[in-house]
Amino acid sequence: MKKLITGSLLGLVSLVLVACGEKQGEEAVTQDITQEKLDYYAANSDYFSFKTPADIPADLVWQNGMDQTDIGDPNAKKGGTYNERLQDFPRTLRTVGPDANGSFRPFLSDFVRLGYASEHPDTGKLYPELASEWAFDWENKTGYIRINPEARWSDGKPVTADDAMFAFFFYRTKYIQAPYSNDYFATYFTNITKYDDLTISISVPEAKPDMPI
């Protein structure tokens, strides 16, 4: 199941971006990129769209995954301690860009981030993570997502549609110094649309069983 990577980003619609790749001993450089982001949305309006809830197709079948069973044996004892080791000392705390794909990356991203929904290991169907519900428009190769209003970042601020928009902007720019991510977000997805503070849609070039939510 392909997941959006919003959980890997630190901050909301980020007025400040910390530069990647600073050398040892150098202070991180920050800059206000608000206008740059807005200009980028406007220059790529076929990819970044802004609409209203009235534009959402009325015939969508919304799902919430709450009918899925608990994962694992309900009689299993909860809790415990998991021990792991690192192959080398973390070279960076970034999850993309130079030296980011090391053995420490899963602890920053894969093991802790949430997608909008995930595939149940027993049933193969979706259950909710950051989303409260979702729907698919197979003909137009688009997935619709309503973000759970209770979803929060670690600082207590709500997760919003603006975060998703910024994530796509972030992964398409040269700030991250990651050509693979630049290409992936430019070619695997064709559009992201914001309808309101908690509702988005994401489109792909061709319909697949693991449509993006």
Side-chain angles (χ1 to χ4, degrees):
M1 170 58 58
K2 301 293 184 182
K3 294 184 180 181
L4 291 184
I5 314 179
T6 51
S8 300
L9 299 179
L10 303 178
L12 294 171
V13 184
S14 292
L15 300 178
V16 176
L17 180 67
V18 178
C20 297
E22 61 269 14
K23 296 180 181 179
Q24 185 175 2
E26 291 183 351
E27 293 185 2
V29 178
T30 62
Q31 65 186 87
D32 187 337
I33 62 165
T34 303
Q35 190 58 51
E36 178 184 347
K37 177 195 64 180
L38 296 176
D39 291 343
Y40 190 89
Y41 290 165
N44 297 273
S45 58
D46 58 332
Y47 192 100
F48 296 92
S49 303
F50 296 85
K51 298 183 179 180
T52 70
D55 296 308
I56 299 174
D59 59 350
L60 292 177
V61 179
W62 291 89
Q63 309 169 48
N64 61 22
M66 296 306 291
D67 58 335
Q68 298 304 299
T69 60
D70 290 342
I71 298 173
D73 188 339
N75 297 316
K77 184 179 179 181
K78 308 297 182 183
T81 301
Y82 175 76
N83 297 294
E84 184 59 280
R85 64 182 180 85
L86 297 178
Q87 295 178 354
D88 59 6
F89 189 81
R91 300 178 185 181
T92 180
L93 296 180
R94 294 187 302 268
T95 58
V96 292
D99 295 324
N101 198 28
S103 61
F104 191 62
R105 183 181 181 277
F107 296 93
L108 297 172
S109 178
D110 300 345
F111 296 163
V112 296
R113 79 165 188 256
L114 294 177
Y116 291 114
S118 193
E119 187 174 306
H120 194 290
D122 299 325
T123 67
K125 297 182 179 180
L126 296 176
Y127 65 88
E129 289 187 341
L130 291 176
S132 60
E133 56 183 352
W134 52 87
F136 297 109
D137 179 351
W138 296 98
E139 181 178 354
N140 293 301
K141 302 177 284 293
T142 300
Y144 290 80
I145 300 160
R146 287 177 176 154
I147 301 170
N148 191 323
E150 298 301 318
R152 294 289 186 273
W153 292 91
S154 58
D155 61 2
K157 295 181 179 180
V159 178
T160 69
D162 285 327
D163 296 324
M165 300 291 285
F166 179 79
F168 276 72
F169 159 77
F170 178 81
Y171 280 98
R172 284 169 55 103
T173 67
K174 301 302 180 183
Y175 284 114
I176 60 174
Q177 301 181 34
Y180 171 82
S181 294
N182 291 157
D183 179 72
Y184 180 82
F185 275 80
T187 58
Y188 183 82
F189 305 101
T190 58
N191 176 268
I192 178 170
T193 298
K194 173 185 173 181
Y195 298 92
D196 59 29
D197 288 343
L198 296 175
T199 309
I200 60 172
S201 68
I202 303 164
S203 301
V204 293
E206 56 184 279
K208 299 180 179 180
D210 57 343
M211 288 283 279
I213 66 165

